[in-house]
Amino acid sequence: MMATLLKCGRCGEASVYYRYYSGERLCRSCFIESIIEKTRRTISKYKMLSYGDKIGVAVSGGKDSLTLLHILSKITSGHASEIVVLIVDEGIEGYREEAVKHAIQTCNELGVKYRILSFKDAYSLTLDEAIKLRTDKSLAACTICGALRRRAIDQLAKEADVDVVATAHNLDDILQTFLMNLFSGDIWRVARSRVLEETSEPFPVKRVKPLMEIPEAEVALFAYLKGIPFQRASCPYMSESIRSEVRSILNEMELRHPGIKFNLLRSYLKISSNLKLEAKSLVCSHCGYPSSNQICSVCTILTKLKSEANRAKRPNTTQT
Ligand code: SF4
Ligand code: ZN
Ligand code: ZN
């Protein structure tokens, strides 16, 4: 909400933002500082990072991940901590190229090292190719993309030898995923998505979400006010996910019942941490990664797609 005629409650300058859930009006610089401070507090409250950590920051090139990179690079400057940016190129023609360009440009501006891994190199097929092969339409693009991207980030994190991976999930992302996992009827997923991921289960490298207490709209405003260039176009496969429906429902409810998102966050934190002890933790019999089933989701997806590819090749080989 813009309110340029009113004054910032912290310094008296013209305000640019009204934070309805705290009742504060903030100018540009106090708003930016408040987001950095909030991130710092979240990191400290959940002991996300330790002094001297080598931090892998998963960057897609969108507003959230570039905001996270800016904030972490500011928070850690002057500390012994080192940042390595982890970029995954899923291979989505006409979409991902621009995002990767923004990610690399920001790394160069901030003087941060980066590593890139493409789906093509990791799995011998791009996301576009995977979608073309898919005949089972119940296998959503985002399910394939999410599983393969998480594994690619793990691979990059191991190669870069980082202590912890920071991802840019904001408050809205966390709540949407929580509700989507409840809707899917798979309670293990709620445990698996818990805020502080420990090593070994379910990921080989600890994962943290420093923006988890910041609403998506405030992350977007931070990126805008800081003039961070980011990928604005939406992914062509987005419509396959129910995430946008869940986002609308949550936003409508927040409008009618301000503060409901933070209440839901508290519920999610309690439920996911209590489920932690009961979460199934196996090792995939194909690849040896931690898994909730005998065969992990990545191996299940790749096996399915390979058999689709073989079936697609068969007519040509029998005709010759
Ligand atoms: Fe991947 Fe889905 Fe996100 Fe597109 S919208 S990048 S397919 S997870
Ligand atoms: Zn101010
Ligand atoms: Zn596996």
Side-chain angles (χ1 to χ4, degrees), residues 22-292:
S22 67
E24 274 182 299
R25 291 190 189 282
L26 297 165
C27 69
R28 178 187 177 277
S29 61
C30 290
F31 172 80
I32 288 171
E33 197 44 46
S34 76
I35 296 293
I36 295 171
E37 258 322 298
K38 179 88 183 172
T39 309
R40 210 194 297 266
R41 278 204 303 274
T42 303
I43 290 171
S44 144
K45 183 161 66 171
Y46 297 98
K47 299 184 176 57
M48 291 180 171
L49 303 175
S50 304
Y51 185 81
D53 266 350
K54 188 170 184 185
I55 310 162
V57 185
V59 170
S60 67
K63 65 181 186 331
D64 303 283
S65 60
L66 291 175
T67 291
L68 176 66
L69 178 57
H70 271 264
I71 294 175
L72 286 182
S73 120
K74 179 162 174 78
I75 288 178
T76 59
S77 80
H79 290 198
S81 301
E82 184 190 343
I83 288 179
V84 182
V85 166
L86 313 174
I87 304 169
V88 175
D89 180 356
E90 299 90 346
I92 306 173
E93 206 183 332
Y95 170 69
R96 207 25 121 207
E97 304 89 334
E98 188 198 333
V100 170
K101 191 188 83 190
H102 287 310
I104 294 174
Q105 190 184 322
T106 306
C107 290
N108 291 336
E109 278 166 18
L110 297 173
V112 177
K113 286 188 212 144
Y114 62 87
R115 278 173 177 264
I116 303 184
L117 179 62
S118 67
F119 276 13
K120 190 77 178 171
D121 287 339
Y123 311 112
S124 305
L125 87 177
T126 64
L127 185 66
D128 286 339
E129 288 164 352
I131 302 303
K132 276 191 200 123
L133 285 173
R134 168 191 67 162
T135 52
D136 176 3
K137 297 295 175 204
S138 67
L139 187 58
C142 295
T143 306
I144 302 174
C145 181
L148 301 190
R149 188 175 48 208
R150 276 192 296 275
R151 177 64 55 84
I153 288 173
D154 279 338
Q155 198 175 318
L156 282 170
K158 282 205 280 182
E159 283 167 17
D161 195 24
V162 300
D163 299 299
V164 54
V165 171
T167 61
H169 298 90
N170 59 47
L171 173 69
D172 293 76
D173 294 327
I174 305 259
L175 301 182
Q176 289 155 17
T177 304
F178 174 49
L179 291 182
M180 286 162 67
N181 286 337
L182 289 181
F183 294 154
S184 79
D186 186 351
I187 204 78
W188 154 251
R189 285 172 179 264
V190 175
R192 189 175 182 269
S193 71
R194 65 183 178 267
V195 169
L196 276 179
E197 313 287 5
E198 289 154 9
T199 50
S200 306
E201 48 157 326
F203 299 106
V205 181
K206 175 181 161 184
R207 293 195 172 216
V208 295
K209 301 175 177 105
L211 302 183
M212 58 171 265
E213 295 181 312
I214 302 179
E216 182 177 22
E218 294 197 356
V219 178
L221 183 59
F222 181 97
Y224 170 73
L225 293 176
K226 287 283 283 180
I228 300 171
F230 59 84
Q231 162 78 293
R232 284 164 196 270
S234 300
C235 172
Y237 302 117
M238 211 170 95
S239 57
E240 287 189 20
S241 168
I242 66 161
R243 186 174 287 276
S244 32
E245 290 172 56
V246 176
R247 173 187 282 123
S248 307
I249 293 167
L250 271 171
N251 285 343
E252 273 170 37
M253 292 196 69
E254 180 69 26
L255 261 183
R256 273 183 274 137
H257 312 282
I260 211 164
K261 285 185 183 176
F262 285 107
N263 291 344
L264 189 57
L265 179 70
R266 279 196 288 279
S267 299
Y268 158 72
L269 291 172
K270 280 187 195 142
I271 292 171
S272 61
S273 58
N274 281 320
L275 279 171
K276 188 175 157 181
L277 294 172
E278 294 165 20
K280 277 195 284 170
S281 181
L282 304 170
V283 167
C284 172
S285 56
H286 280 198
C287 67
Y289 264 77
S291 168
S292 54

